[in-house]
Amino acid sequence: MSNIEIVQNFINSENDLYCDDCLSEKLDIKPRQQVNQICNKLKIQGLLKREVKQCSSCSKDKLINKLEGF
Ligand SMILES: [Zn+2]
């Protein structure tokens, strides 16, 4: 599975909202910039929304990733 599929599957299977840093930690995709690039790519494809909300993992107000239409 490619990293982009790993990120996509994870977000698909979770109801929680995760920032790029926590996705990087949980999915072990390093550096964090790679997660950032993947999420921006998914956003451009219309699969993800990115907005500032409280992250479910680190509880900070950050740019989180969620499914489009969720
Ligand atoms: Zn977080």
Side-chain angles (χ1 to χ4, degrees):
M1 221 173 9
S2 68
N3 282 341
I4 192 160
E5 286 170 323
I6 290 170
V7 169
Q8 214 177 343
N9 282 349
F10 181 78
I11 294 171
N12 272 325
S13 66
E14 293 279 330
N15 287 323
D16 294 331
L17 308 171
Y18 293 100
C19 67
D20 293 350
D21 293 298
C22 293
L23 283 178
S24 168
E25 279 298 318
K26 283 185 179 293
L27 303 176
D28 201 26
I29 299 173
K30 309 271 169 66
R32 191 197 76 89
Q33 280 77 2
Q34 199 190 147
V35 172
N36 184 271
Q37 282 170 2
I38 288 170
C39 290
N40 278 321
K41 206 176 271 184
L42 290 170
K43 188 194 168 192
I44 290 164
Q45 290 173 1
L47 298 169
L48 270 190
K49 257 186 199 162
R50 284 163 70 73
E51 55 188 57
V52 176
K53 281 203 169 160
Q54 190 179 46
C55 172
S56 301
S57 183
C58 62
S59 299
K60 291 177 194 154
D61 283 334
K62 295 178 83 169
L63 201 57
I64 55 80
N65 301 284
K66 65 174 187 175
L67 289 184
E68 186 65 72
F70 173 61

